Coordinates of all heavy atoms in Angstrom, one line a residue:
L1310 N 107.9 108.3 96.9 CA 108.3 108.0 95.6 C 107.3 108.7 94.5 O 106.1 108.6 94.7 CB 108.3 106.5 95.3 CG 108.8 106.1 93.9 CD1 110.2 106.5 93.6 CD2 108.7 104.5 93.8
C1311 N 107.9 109.3 93.5 CA 107.2 109.8 92.4 C 107.7 109.0 91.2 O 108.9 109.0 90.9 CB 107.3 111.3 92.2 SG 106.6 111.9 90.6
I1312 N 106.8 108.4 90.4 CA 107.2 107.7 89.2 C 106.7 108.4 88.0 O 105.5 108.6 87.8 CB 106.7 106.2 89.2 CG1 107.2 105.4 90.4 CG2 107.1 105.5 87.9 CD1 106.7 104.0 90.5
A1313 N 107.7 108.8 87.1 CA 107.4 109.4 85.8 C 108.1 108.5 84.7 O 109.3 108.5 84.7 CB 107.9 110.8 85.8
H1314 N 107.3 107.9 83.9 CA 107.8 106.8 83.1 C 107.1 106.8 81.7 O 106.9 105.7 81.2 CB 107.6 105.5 83.8 CG 108.8 104.5 83.7 ND1 109.8 104.6 84.5 CD2 109.0 103.5 82.9 CE1 110.7 103.6 84.2 NE2 110.2 103.0 83.2
S1315 N 106.7 107.9 81.2 CA 105.9 107.9 80.0 C 104.7 106.9 80.0 O 104.5 106.1 79.2 CB 106.8 107.6 78.8 OG 107.8 108.6 78.6
I1316 N 104.0 107.1 81.1 CA 103.0 106.1 81.5 C 101.7 106.3 80.6 O 101.3 107.4 80.4 CB 102.6 106.2 83.0 CG1 103.9 105.9 83.8 CG2 101.5 105.3 83.4 CD1 103.8 106.4 85.2
T1317 N 101.1 105.2 80.2 CA 99.9 105.2 79.3 C 98.8 104.5 80.1 O 99.0 103.9 81.1 CB 100.2 104.6 78.0 OG1 100.4 103.1 78.2 CG2 101.4 105.1 77.3
L1318 N 97.6 104.5 79.4 CA 96.5 103.7 80.0 C 96.9 102.2 80.1 O 96.4 101.5 80.9 CB 95.3 103.9 79.1 CG 94.5 105.2 79.3 CD1 93.4 105.3 78.2 CD2 94.0 105.4 80.6
D1319 N 97.7 101.8 79.2 CA 98.1 100.4 79.2 C 99.1 100.0 80.3 O 99.2 98.8 80.6 CB 98.7 100.0 77.8 CG 97.7 100.1 76.7 OD1 96.6 99.7 76.9 OD2 98.1 100.5 75.6
T1320 N 99.8 101.0 80.8 CA 100.8 100.7 81.8 C 100.5 101.2 83.2 O 101.2 101.0 84.1 CB 102.2 101.2 81.3 OG1 102.1 102.6 81.1 CG2 102.7 100.5 80.1
L1321 N 99.5 102.1 83.3 CA 99.2 102.7 84.6 C 98.9 101.8 85.7 O 99.4 101.9 86.8 CB 98.0 103.7 84.4 CG 97.6 104.5 85.6 CD1 98.8 105.3 86.2 CD2 96.5 105.5 85.2
D1322 N 98.1 100.7 85.4 CA 97.8 99.7 86.4 C 99.1 99.1 87.0 O 99.2 98.9 88.2 CB 96.9 98.6 85.8 CG 95.5 98.9 85.9 OD1 95.0 99.3 87.0 OD2 94.8 98.8 84.9
T1323 N 100.0 98.8 86.1 CA 101.3 98.2 86.6 C 102.0 99.1 87.5 O 102.6 98.7 88.6 CB 102.2 97.8 85.4 OG1 101.5 96.9 84.5 CG2 103.5 97.2 85.8
I1324 N 102.1 100.4 87.2 CA 102.8 101.4 88.0 C 102.1 101.5 89.4 O 102.7 101.5 90.4 CB 102.9 102.7 87.3 CG1 103.8 102.6 86.1 CG2 103.4 103.8 88.3 CD1 105.2 102.3 86.4
L1325 N 100.8 101.6 89.3 CA 100.0 101.9 90.6 C 100.0 100.6 91.5 O 99.8 100.8 92.7 CB 98.6 102.3 90.3 CG 98.4 103.7 89.6 CD1 97.0 104.0 89.4 CD2 99.0 104.7 90.5
D1326 N 100.4 99.5 91.0 CA 100.5 98.3 91.8 C 101.7 98.5 92.8 O 101.7 97.9 93.9 CB 100.8 97.1 91.0 CG 99.5 96.5 90.3 OD1 98.4 96.8 90.9 OD2 99.6 95.7 89.4
F1327 N 102.6 99.3 92.5 CA 103.8 99.6 93.4 C 103.4 100.7 94.5 O 104.1 100.9 95.4 CB 104.9 100.2 92.6 CG 105.6 99.1 91.7 CD1 105.5 99.2 90.3 CD2 106.4 98.1 92.2 CE1 106.1 98.3 89.5 CE2 107.0 97.2 91.4 CZ 106.8 97.3 90.1
K1328 N 102.2 101.3 94.3 CA 101.7 102.2 95.3 C 102.6 103.4 95.5 O 102.8 103.8 96.7 CB 101.3 101.5 96.6 CG 100.3 100.4 96.5 CD 100.0 99.7 97.8 CE 98.9 98.7 97.7 NZ 99.1 97.7 96.6
P1329 N 103.1 104.0 94.5 CA 103.9 105.2 94.7 C 103.0 106.4 95.2 O 101.8 106.4 94.8 CB 104.5 105.5 93.3 CG 103.5 104.9 92.4 CD 103.0 103.7 93.1
A1330 N 103.6 107.3 95.9 CA 102.8 108.4 96.4 C 102.3 109.3 95.2 O 101.1 109.8 95.2 CB 103.6 109.3 97.3
I1331 N 103.1 109.4 94.2 CA 102.8 110.2 93.0 C 103.1 109.5 91.8 O 104.1 108.9 91.7 CB 103.6 111.6 93.1 CG1 103.3 112.3 94.4 CG2 103.2 112.4 91.9 CD1 104.3 113.5 94.6
T1332 N 102.2 109.5 90.8 CA 102.4 108.9 89.5 C 102.1 110.0 88.4 O 101.0 110.6 88.4 CB 101.5 107.7 89.3 OG1 101.8 106.7 90.3 CG2 101.8 107.1 87.9
V1333 N 103.0 110.2 87.5 CA 102.9 111.2 86.4 C 102.2 110.5 85.2 O 102.7 109.5 84.7 CB 104.2 111.8 86.0 CG1 104.0 112.8 85.0 CG2 104.9 112.3 87.2
C1334 N 101.1 111.1 84.8 CA 100.4 110.5 83.7 C 99.8 111.6 82.9 O 99.2 112.6 83.4 CB 99.3 109.5 84.1 SG 98.7 108.4 82.9
Q1335 N 99.9 111.6 81.6 CA 99.4 112.6 80.7 C 98.2 112.2 79.8 O 97.9 111.0 79.8 CB 100.6 113.0 79.8 CG 101.8 113.6 80.5 CD 103.0 113.6 79.6 OE1 103.4 112.6 79.1 NE2 103.6 114.8 79.4
I1336 N 97.6 113.1 79.2 CA 96.6 112.9 78.2 C 97.3 113.1 76.8 O 98.4 113.7 76.7 CB 95.4 113.7 78.3 CG1 95.7 115.2 78.3 CG2 94.7 113.4 79.7 CD1 94.5 116.1 78.3
P1337 N 96.6 112.7 75.7 CA 97.3 112.9 74.4 C 97.7 114.4 74.2 O 96.9 115.3 74.6 CB 96.2 112.5 73.4 CG 95.4 111.5 74.2 CD 95.4 112.0 75.6
V1338 N 98.8 114.6 73.5 CA 99.3 116.0 73.3 C 98.4 116.7 72.4 O 97.6 116.1 71.6 CB 100.7 115.9 72.7 CG1 101.7 115.3 73.7 CG2 100.8 115.1 71.4
I1339 N 98.5 118.0 72.4 CA 97.7 118.9 71.5 C 98.2 118.7 70.1 O 99.3 119.0 69.7 CB 97.9 120.4 71.9 CG1 97.5 120.5 73.4 CG2 97.1 121.3 71.0 CD1 96.0 120.2 73.7
N1340 N 97.3 118.2 69.2 CA 97.6 118.1 67.8 C 96.2 118.0 67.1 O 95.2 117.9 67.6 CB 98.5 117.0 67.5 CG 97.9 115.6 67.9 OD1 96.8 115.3 67.6 ND2 98.7 114.9 68.7
Q1341 N 96.3 118.0 65.8 CA 95.1 118.1 64.9 C 94.4 116.7 64.8 O 93.3 116.7 64.3 CB 95.5 118.6 63.5 CG 95.9 120.0 63.5 CD 96.3 120.5 62.2 OE1 96.5 119.7 61.2 NE2 96.4 121.9 62.0
T1342 N 95.1 115.7 65.3 CA 94.5 114.3 65.1 C 93.7 113.9 66.3 O 93.1 112.8 66.3 CB 95.6 113.3 64.8 OG1 96.5 113.2 65.9 CG2 96.4 113.7 63.5

């Protein structure tokens, strides 16, 4: 299983509790802020 769910630091723990083989997680997008 790979889970891609617009995962954030606030939701990553919840997703990893399911122990998927792969979890998609990003860092903040490129912008001036």
Side-chain angles (χ1 to χ4, degrees):
L1310 182 62
C1311 172
I1312 299 180
H1314 220 85
S1315 297
I1316 297 161
T1317 67
L1318 286 173
D1319 293 322
T1320 58
L1321 181 56
D1322 273 307
T1323 300
I1324 293 295
L1325 291 180
D1326 281 341
F1327 291 107
K1328 299 178 175 58
I1331 303 167
T1332 302
V1333 182
C1334 200
Q1335 299 163 301
I1336 60 175
V1338 296
I1339 303 297
N1340 58 54
Q1341 295 179 344
T1342 64

